[in-house]
Amino acid sequence: MEKLLFSKLTKADLAKFVSLEDQGIKNHNWLNVESVSVELHEAQQLQYLQSHLLHYDTHLMNESTIWARAIYPLLLLAEKDFIQAWAEVSLQAQYTEFELEGIADGVLAKCVSGFVEIPYLVIVEAKKGLESQNPVYQLYGQLLAVARLHWEANQNNLQTVYGCYTIADVWKFVKADIRDINSHPVSMRTG
């Protein structure tokens, strides 16, 4: 069984085990921000965050600073009831032919008694610089891990999972439909 680490995952690694159909960038109903209502206190928090980032060149900030100033505070706004934002969450999932493991930079997940359950949304903060890798495949690996964990909980053949990666102040959201989790190859359609 081959072990795949999120931080080193490439397109070639995934191609060995996953039939990937990437739909590219599209307008999706789930990204329609006009249908989202924002309460007054949330709008005020967003304005406050924006005012602190407006005069900073986020492309020159290091990852920790961007995470602390922008990404995590935005995730906090998405918290509701038992769904909480968490940073540095360990994920591991075992498929029939391969295993995935590593650390998700952030998640939105149900939290009970201080324990994170299966994430609803995973976040990859892309590394910058010459040694950086394409964050898409790291995100795809994390989405596959989350799909497997959901499958273990409900046994549905189709698992729809969500994630995003950030590069400085740009966010790219991905929806993935993952099927045939106990087959080879696993089927993954993103868009």
Side-chain angles (χ1 to χ4, degrees), residues 13-19 95-98 179-187:
D13 293 331
L14 286 178
K16 294 182 214 173
F17 307 105
V18 178
S19 172
Y95 280 81
T96 55
E97 307 255 336
F98 64 102
R179 298 178 188 276
D180 308 320
I181 288 182
N182 269 345
S183 301
H184 179 75
V186 174
S187 174

Side-chain angles (χ1 to χ4, degrees), residues 57-67 71 125-135 166-170:
D57 190 349
T58 54
H59 294 89
L60 299 177
M61 289 181 182
N62 65 32
E63 287 86 9
S64 296
T65 303
I66 292 171
W67 185 261
I71 298 169
E125 182 185 7
K127 305 300 178 236
K128 297 181 284 189
L130 296 175
E131 292 90 34
S132 63
Q133 291 184 314
N134 186 338
T166 67
I167 301 174
D169 56 355
V170 176

